[in-house]
C-alpha cells in the first residue's frame, strides 16, 4: 500500500516537472583555466544548453579549481551533490569506478585515431555506463591529451637520464606504478598545488599534456619539456547522479547530446593548437626535447603494463589494442 502511494507521488512529481517548467542552474567544475580547451568547451556546452532550453537550464563553469582543490575532491563533491558537473581527466575516476583505470595504462593507445575509435566505440560506451554505478552520470569523453614529462634538471630522453626525479603525478594507480617501475620518484598531488610545488622545488617535475602546461604557465617553473607521450589522458564530462535524476527526460537528452557534440569540438581544439603552443613556449626559453627515446620509456614501464594486464584481464587490454 505504502509503496503504491510512493510510486504515485513519484509519477506526479515527474508530471509536475515537465520540461517546459523545469528551471535549474548547475555548477561545473574544473582544474583548468577558461582558455584551456576544457574551459572553451564548457562555455560552449553552457551556451548550447541555454539556447536549446530557452534559458531554463544554465550551466556556470568555475575554472582554476575554485570549487575544490583537485579532481578527486571535485568527484567527491559530485557524489555529495555540492557540485553538479565535472570536466576533468579520467585520472582519479578509477578510484571511484574501477573499470575506468584501464584507459590510463601507459603506452596503451597508439595515436589519436586509435583513441577516438576506442572511446567512441563499444568499449568507451561501456566504461561510461560503468561510471553510472558510482554516483555519477557519464555523459561524454572529452580530451585532456598525451602526457609528457617536464622537469628542470635533465632532458629526460631516456628513463636512465630521468632516474630518481621527484615528479608529481595524478592520484592514479596506473601512473604511479608506471613511474616507479621506470625508476622515478612519483608523488601524487592535487593539481592546484602543482605550480607552487614546482616553484619552491618540492618536486623536480610533473607530467601533463601541452594544453595544461601552457594554460597554467607551468613553463615559468620548468626548463625541459620531453615529448614522452607516455600515456593518453582522456577527459570526462560527468553529472552528479543525484542532480541528474531530477532533470526531466527531454532536458537530459538535450544536455547529453550537447556534451557529445562539444566532445568533437574540444578534442579538435586541443589537437590543432599543440604545435603552436610548443613553439610559443620555446620562444620563451623552454627546451622542448623532441628526440625522446620512446621505445626505452615504453620498455621501462613494461612491467607495470604486464601487471595491469593481469589485473584487468589480458582480453580487455587486447580488445583495446586490437581496435583498428
Ligand atoms: O584534467 O591533474 C592533472 O594533471 C590533470 O591533467 C588536469 O587536472 C586536467
Amino acid at each position: 500500500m505504502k509503496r503504491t502511494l510512493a510510486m504515485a507521488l513519484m509519477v506526479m512529481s515527474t508530471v509536475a516537472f515537465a520540461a517546459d517548467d523545469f528551471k535549474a542552474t548547475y555548477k561545473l567544475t574544473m582544474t583548468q583555466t577558461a582558455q584551456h580547451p576544457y574551459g572553451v568547451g564548457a562555455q560552449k556546452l553552457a551556451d548550447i544548453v541555454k539556447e536549446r532550453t530557452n534559458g531554463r537550464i544554465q550551466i556556470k563553469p568555475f575554472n582554476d579549481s575554485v570549487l575544490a582543490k583537485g579532481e578527486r575532491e571535485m568527484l567527491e563533491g559530485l557524489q555529495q551533490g555540492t557540485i553538479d558537473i565535472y570536466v576533468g581527466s579520467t585520472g582519479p575516476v578509477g578510484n571511484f569506478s574501477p573499470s575506468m583505470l584501464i584507459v590510463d595504462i601507459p603506452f596503451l593507445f597508439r595515436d589519436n585515431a586509435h583513441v577516438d575509435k576506442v572511446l567512441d566505440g563499444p568499449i568507451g560506451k561501456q566504461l561510461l555506463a560503468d561510471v553510472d554505478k558510482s554516483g555519477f552520470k557519464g555523459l561524454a569523453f572529452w580530451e585532456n591529451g598525451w602526457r609528457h614529462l617536464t622537469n628542470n634538471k635533465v632532458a629526460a630522453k631516456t628513463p636512465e637520464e630521468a632516474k630518481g626525479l621527484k615528479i608529481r603525478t595524478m592520484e592514479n594507480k596506473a601512473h604511479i606504478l608506471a613511474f616507479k617501475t621506470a625508476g622515478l620518484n612519483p608523488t601524487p598531488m592535487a593539481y592546484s598545488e602543482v605550480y607552487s610545488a614546482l616553484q619552491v622545488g618540492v618536486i623536480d617535475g610533473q607530467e601533463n599534456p601541452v594544453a595544461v602546461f601552457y594554460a597554467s604557465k607551468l613553463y615559468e617553473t620548468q626548463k625541459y619539456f620531453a615529448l614522452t607521450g607516455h600515456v593518453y589522458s582522456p577527459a570526462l564530462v560527468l553529472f552528479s547522479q543525484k542532480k541528474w535524476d531530477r532533470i526531466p527526460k527531454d532536458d537530459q537528452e538535450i544536455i547529453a547530446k550537447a556534451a557529445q557534440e562539444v566532445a568533437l569540438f574540444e578534442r579538435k581544439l586541443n589537437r590543432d593548437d599543440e604545435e603552436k603552443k610548443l613553439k610559443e613556449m620555446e620562444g620563451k626559453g623552454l627546451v622542448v626535447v623532441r628526440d625522446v627515446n620512446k621505445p626505452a620509456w615504453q620498455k621501462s614501464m613494461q612491467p607495470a603494463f604486464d601487471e595491469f594486464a593481469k589485473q584487468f584481464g589480458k582480453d580487455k587490454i587486447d580488445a583495446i589494442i586490437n581496435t583498428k
Side-chain angles (χ1 to χ4, degrees), residues 31-32 38 71 88-89 144 147 168 170 191 207-209 212:
T31 56
Q32 298 299 303
Y38 286 2
E71 292 184 331
S89 72
N144 188 14
R147 301 182 80 89
R168 176 268 178 179
M170 293 199 283
Y191 182 74
E207 43 86 59
N208 248 306
V212 168

Side-chain angles (χ1 to χ4, degrees), residues 112-124 267 323-324:
N112 289 333
H114 184 209
V115 165
D116 292 349
K117 264 270 160 68
V118 173
L119 298 185
D120 296 337
I123 296 174
R267 286 183 210 168
T323 301
K324 293 211 166 86

Side-chain angles (χ1 to χ4, degrees), residues 23-204:
K23 279 199 182 72
T25 301
Y26 295 113
K27 284 187 273 193
L28 182 152
T29 181
M30 70 179 76
T31 56
Q32 298 299 303
T33 68
Q35 290 76 36
H36 180 276
Y38 286 2
V40 180
Q43 190 53 54
K44 197 175 174 72
L45 175 68
D47 293 343
I48 294 176
V49 170
K50 187 177 172 191
E51 193 200 313
R52 294 185 189 164
T53 61
N54 298 316
R56 290 181 298 100
I57 299 184
Q58 312 251 1
I59 292 173
K60 290 213 182 318
F62 289 84
N63 303 98
D64 301 307
S65 307
V66 293
L67 295 183
K69 74 170 181 172
E71 292 184 331
R72 176 174 54 77
E73 292 81 356
M74 291 173 186
L75 292 163
E76 286 163 0
L78 257 77
Q79 283 184 325
Q80 288 152 14
T82 53
I83 304 176
D84 307 312
I85 308 170
Y86 171 86
V87 173
S89 72
T90 50
V93 177
N95 299 328
F96 299 83
S97 182
S99 67
M100 191 59 82
L101 191 59
I102 199 168
V103 294
D104 274 280
I105 297 176
F107 294 104
L108 177 66
F109 291 104
R110 290 182 293 276
D111 51 27
N112 289 333
H114 184 209
V115 165
D116 292 349
K117 264 270 160 68
V118 173
L119 298 185
D120 296 337
I123 296 174
K125 292 209 169 77
Q126 184 58 51
L127 292 172
L128 268 186
D130 288 351
V131 164
D132 292 2
K133 294 169 204 140
S134 319
F136 315 117
K137 171 69 193 167
L139 293 183
F141 278 105
W142 288 9
E143 170 163 293
N144 188 14
W146 295 90
R147 301 182 80 89
H148 306 288
L149 179 65
T150 80
N151 79 99
N152 49 26
K153 292 212 160 131
V154 289
K157 285 181 191 170
T158 62
E160 289 74 43
E161 215 186 315
K163 207 175 168 127
L165 279 183
K166 193 164 182 194
I167 58 153
R168 176 268 178 179
T169 66
M170 293 199 283
E171 295 176 51
N172 178 285
K173 286 183 197 145
H175 295 187
I176 296 166
L177 181 64
F179 279 109
K180 265 193 195 142
T181 312
L184 281 72
N185 186 359
T187 312
M189 192 185 291
Y191 182 74
S192 64
E193 292 169 347
V194 175
Y195 186 100
S196 56
L198 289 170
Q199 204 176 31
V200 301
V202 179
I203 43 174
D204 304 314

